[in-house]
Amino acid sequence: MTQKLSGIAASNGIAIAKAFRLENPELIVKKTSISNINAELARFDSAMAQSKSELETIKAQTAQQMNDEEAAIFSAHLLVLSDPELLGPITDKIKSENVNAEFALQETANMFIGLFESMDNEYMKERAADIRDVTKRVLAHLLGVSIQSPSMIKDEVIIIAEDLTPSDTVQLNPHFVKGFITDIGGRTSHSAILARTLEIPAVVGAKTVMSTIQNGMIVIVDGLDGDIIVNPDTETIARYKEKKASYELQKSEWATLKNEATITSDGHHVELGANIGTPKDVVGVLEHGGEAIGLYRTEFLYMGRNQFPTEEEQFEAYSSVLKQMDDKPTVVRTLDIGGDKELSYLQLPKEMNPFLGLRAIRLCLEMEDMFRTQLRALLRASVHGNLKIMFPMIATLEEFRQAKTLFLEEKAKLKEEHIEVSNTIEVGIMVEIPSTAVMADIFAKEVDFFSIGTNDLIQYTMAADRMNERVSYLYQPFNPAILRLVKNVIDASHKEGKWTGMCGEMAGDEIAIPILLGLGLDEFSMSASSILKARSQIKKLSKVEMESHTDAILSLSTSDEVESYVRALTTK
Ligand code: PEP
Ligand code: MG
């Protein structure tokens, strides 16, 4: 029977394929005593052998689909599987205590994990993370449950999952994964943002897909309207194929604007930039006619691996982006880890409210060596293009000053070492915490630019978790409270002769664009796949006309009123 579900439209496009459930099974280990020790040892050996061959396949596939760097994590897992220091105590325990292999494995692994994690040594902490992952895999084999990895998918499918972590999402191969649907998450959760970068149609926050959709069912994902059709009949499939074709046609019309500047109907130029996560994304930026990179989320360089990237690796990545951009403005954000972005090898204490915790610049200022390494790599890469650096999650002026001081110290050191660095790097901040938006006039005297991160600014202003679909109605970019903060930031920057960009998802929204134009936003940065649509819209708008509506819009009372006002204006 055909069934229609709905969620939050997270990434444009339409896909029709078989469902593939990506599940994270719970592994419950009970202690039992065994009578046949040899049989138990054989069972353990067989689980080890199966895990090994599975890891070898995943490693080879990851190397082929992604790159060797991402595949390295699986080499580390294979090393753990053959480590006698770990395996010896497990088999000893089975033999001497007559316990089942699951229990012996879990007890021994937990002992090593605890030991390594307590050491003040990054390398040992990484080993703890490896042991945890490998133990999970072997336990799954012993318990007869399967563990899935998105990189193993070799069929055209639509992934159905409770949630996808950002590291699951980086493993998605758009060649096979035609779309995804999750029960939790919002439009600005990072899996949704990555889906837009990979141009995979997605619907998130659909709440009931895991309880409704079984493996192999045919599913339609409509990432344009946030709809999901399960078991569609032939007529529905035909209708969606038509919708897909007309969306493709629309995209080809936008594509004709690729090499044009973004100029309003009254001759005002704004810059349309893209948000990227890895150097590989630059190809898409240029294909979609991006004039700049308004946000390079460097944290993805730190994810999907089992140790910090070295200064050299970072230098390579940053230089590659700058060279590909060929002197076009490139804003690189320093490490923004925390919230929904975790590093497996950085075992930080669990926090009650990670989005309000030790994250982003707070963590970088605490882990100064790690931060200095990134700044050095950026400074060295600066000679290869038009680099601008910004710090995430700045809440106070002191944080900015401290970060800037470290930047200047690293710059001075490099100069002393006669290493060439650019002297024209602008240093700005993300405005994503209300305190900073309110104090923009003070910040504007010291920073070179602002980039408004509305994904977080809305989350913190409305006190509504951006990952929680139950409060997603509070993600209100058009709420006058948000618009007034945005105006405050733009005006403050202009007063000091500085510029303001926006790199939150709001910058690519068709209702937000006319408002932001009227407010005087200088740079709009969005998923590369949204650029041409935005350009086509901006070319039809008059800046002067939009300015004349700003006061009226800002004095409206609710988000809905703002939306209706703008719709009426733009459909006139
Ligand atoms: C933001 O918060 O708006 C932003 C662009 O940063 P991120 O989505 O990576 O938190
Ligand atoms: Mg943010």
Side-chain angles (χ1 to χ4, degrees), residues 251-302:
K251 281 210 305 195
S252 62
E253 281 166 18
W254 291 330
T256 59
L257 303 175
K258 180 177 157 182
N259 298 317
E260 292 192 17
T262 315
I263 299 179
T264 60
S265 63
D266 56 340
H268 179 81
H269 177 251
V270 293
E271 195 169 76
L272 281 193
N275 299 344
I276 63 163
T278 78
K280 281 187 271 183
D281 299 339
V282 181
V283 178
V285 176
L286 300 173
E287 257 170 27
H288 288 102
E291 295 161 83
I293 285 175
L295 166 64
Y296 172 10
R297 290 184 166 94
T298 55
E299 48 278 9
F300 292 107
L301 188 60
Y302 291 66

Side-chain angles (χ1 to χ4, degrees), residues 234-251:
T234 41
E235 192 209 316
T236 312
I237 293 184
R239 194 155 34 86
Y240 273 94
K241 280 192 173 160
E242 225 169 83
K243 188 170 177 182
K244 183 174 158 82
S246 81
Y247 177 65
E248 298 298 332
L249 181 69
Q250 169 100 83
K251 281 210 305 195

Side-chain angles (χ1 to χ4, degrees), residues 333 336 359 393 430 432 453 455-456 466:
R333 174 174 77 184
D336 181 7
R359 55 171 296 202
M393 299 286 299
M430 299 240 351
E432 46 189 346
N455 305 340
D456 280 316
R466 65 193 263 192

Side-chain angles (χ1 to χ4, degrees), residues 463-523:
D465 183 347
R466 65 193 263 192
M467 298 289 290
N468 183 345
E469 70 287 351
R470 297 165 78 189
V471 292
S472 63
Y473 75 96
L474 287 169
Y475 173 72
Q476 294 187 353
F478 324 126
N479 188 302
I482 303 298
L483 300 179
R484 290 180 191 197
L485 286 176
V486 169
K487 176 176 165 41
N488 195 49
V489 176
I490 298 174
D491 288 351
S493 68
H494 291 174
K495 226 178 195 161
E496 296 295 332
K498 313 283 170 69
W499 61 274
T500 296
M502 179 178 285
C503 58
E505 291 304 304
M506 178 177 176
D509 184 286
E510 63 181 337
I511 298 293
I513 285 174
I515 308 174
L516 297 170
L517 196 64
L519 289 173
L521 189 74
D522 303 290
E523 177 236 38

Side-chain angles (χ1 to χ4, degrees), residues 349-543:
K350 276 262 168 278
E351 295 180 333
M352 295 277 278
N353 293 298
F355 274 101
L356 301 179
L358 185 67
R359 55 171 296 202
I361 197 68
R362 305 167 183 184
L363 184 66
C364 286
L365 292 175
E366 193 168 289
M367 298 185 63
E368 210 183 283
D369 288 348
M370 172 191 79
F371 190 39
R372 284 184 186 273
T373 305
Q374 180 171 39
L375 292 172
R376 245 180 102 86
L378 280 166
L379 278 155
R380 284 174 50 207
S382 64
V383 292
H384 294 300
N386 183 356
L387 173 68
K388 301 172 198 297
I389 295 179
M390 67 179 171
F391 306 125
M393 299 286 299
I394 293 285
T396 68
L397 193 59
E398 288 92 335
E399 284 172 342
F400 171 69
R401 286 181 179 156
Q402 249 176 294
K404 174 106 190 250
T405 303
L406 295 179
F407 167 81
L408 292 174
E409 282 175 10
E410 288 310 311
K411 185 172 171 187
K413 277 193 224 159
L414 285 167
K415 287 201 156 170
E416 240 164 63
E417 294 165 38
H418 303 290
I419 295 173
E420 218 191 323
V421 298
S422 161
N423 276 322
T424 54
I425 308 171
E426 291 183 15
V427 181
I429 59 169
M430 299 240 351
V431 180
E432 46 189 346
I433 296 182
S435 59
T436 302
V438 170
M439 295 290 279
D441 56 334
I442 305 293
F443 279 95
K445 296 187 199 312
E446 300 193 25
V447 304
D448 293 325
F449 66 94
F450 291 129
S451 182
I452 307 178
T454 47
N455 305 340
D456 280 316
L457 184 63
I458 297 170
Q459 136 164 289
Y460 297 128
T461 306
M462 308 298 286
D465 183 347
R466 65 193 263 192
M467 298 289 290
N468 183 345
E469 70 287 351
R470 297 165 78 189
V471 292
S472 63
Y473 75 96
L474 287 169
Y475 173 72
Q476 294 187 353
F478 324 126
N479 188 302
I482 303 298
L483 300 179
R484 290 180 191 197
L485 286 176
V486 169
K487 176 176 165 41
N488 195 49
V489 176
I490 298 174
D491 288 351
S493 68
H494 291 174
K495 226 178 195 161
E496 296 295 332
K498 313 283 170 69
W499 61 274
T500 296
M502 179 178 285
C503 58
E505 291 304 304
M506 178 177 176
D509 184 286
E510 63 181 337
I511 298 293
I513 285 174
I515 308 174
L516 297 170
L517 196 64
L519 289 173
L521 189 74
D522 303 290
E523 177 236 38
F524 296 63
S525 192
M526 56 194 72
S527 310
S529 55
S530 304
I531 290 178
L532 291 167
K533 181 181 177 205
R535 180 167 297 152
S536 140
Q537 186 188 5
I538 291 172
K539 284 170 85 75
K540 294 181 201 127
L541 292 169
S542 149
K543 180 169 192 295

Side-chain angles (χ1 to χ4, degrees), residues 91-307:
T91 47
D92 285 351
K93 204 171 176 72
I94 297 176
K95 287 187 221 160
S96 62
E97 296 177 28
N98 283 18
V99 288
N100 53 329
E102 291 87 334
F103 181 77
L105 167 63
Q106 193 174 53
E107 288 277 293
T108 312
N110 284 349
M111 193 269 290
F112 279 108
I113 292 168
L115 184 71
F116 290 170
E117 274 179 355
S118 66
M119 292 182 188
D120 192 20
N121 174 322
E122 277 316 315
Y123 180 79
M124 295 323 270
K125 287 191 171 146
E126 286 153 24
R127 299 289 75 76
D130 291 339
I131 297 175
R132 184 177 286 113
D133 272 12
V134 171
T135 304
K136 205 168 118 193
R137 187 171 297 282
V138 182
L139 271 181
H141 281 294
L142 284 167
L143 294 166
V145 288
S146 63
I147 285 205
Q148 300 158 323
S149 151
S151 65
M152 298 277 279
I153 295 172
K154 293 191 278 308
D155 253 347
E156 291 200 354
V157 297
I158 287 170
I159 290 190
I160 314 292
E162 165 131 5
D163 188 19
L164 287 177
T165 62
S167 52
D168 280 335
T169 321
V170 266
Q171 288 186 59
L172 301 181
N173 180 348
H175 190 63
F176 297 123
V177 178
K178 295 295 161 195
F180 73 74
I181 313 171
T182 61
D183 272 343
I184 64 175
R187 209 185 131 70
T188 60
S189 36
H190 285 93
S191 50
I193 292 170
L194 278 169
R196 290 193 281 282
T197 304
L198 294 167
E199 296 187 51
I200 298 177
V203 173
V204 300
K207 297 191 182 96
T208 57
V209 286
M210 282 306 267
S211 55
T212 314
I213 304 178
Q214 298 308 320
N215 273 328
M217 284 180 168
I218 298 294
V219 177
I220 300 176
V221 186
D222 178 352
L224 298 164
D225 290 321
D227 291 329
I228 301 150
I229 320 290
V230 190
N231 287 330
D233 52 30
T234 41
E235 192 209 316
T236 312
I237 293 184
R239 194 155 34 86
Y240 273 94
K241 280 192 173 160
E242 225 169 83
K243 188 170 177 182
K244 183 174 158 82
S246 81
Y247 177 65
E248 298 298 332
L249 181 69
Q250 169 100 83
K251 281 210 305 195
S252 62
E253 281 166 18
W254 291 330
T256 59
L257 303 175
K258 180 177 157 182
N259 298 317
E260 292 192 17
T262 315
I263 299 179
T264 60
S265 63
D266 56 340
H268 179 81
H269 177 251
V270 293
E271 195 169 76
L272 281 193
N275 299 344
I276 63 163
T278 78
K280 281 187 271 183
D281 299 339
V282 181
V283 178
V285 176
L286 300 173
E287 257 170 27
H288 288 102
E291 295 161 83
I293 285 175
L295 166 64
Y296 172 10
R297 290 184 166 94
T298 55
E299 48 278 9
F300 292 107
L301 188 60
Y302 291 66
M303 289 163 54
R305 48 187 296 143
N306 52 10
Q307 65 205 48

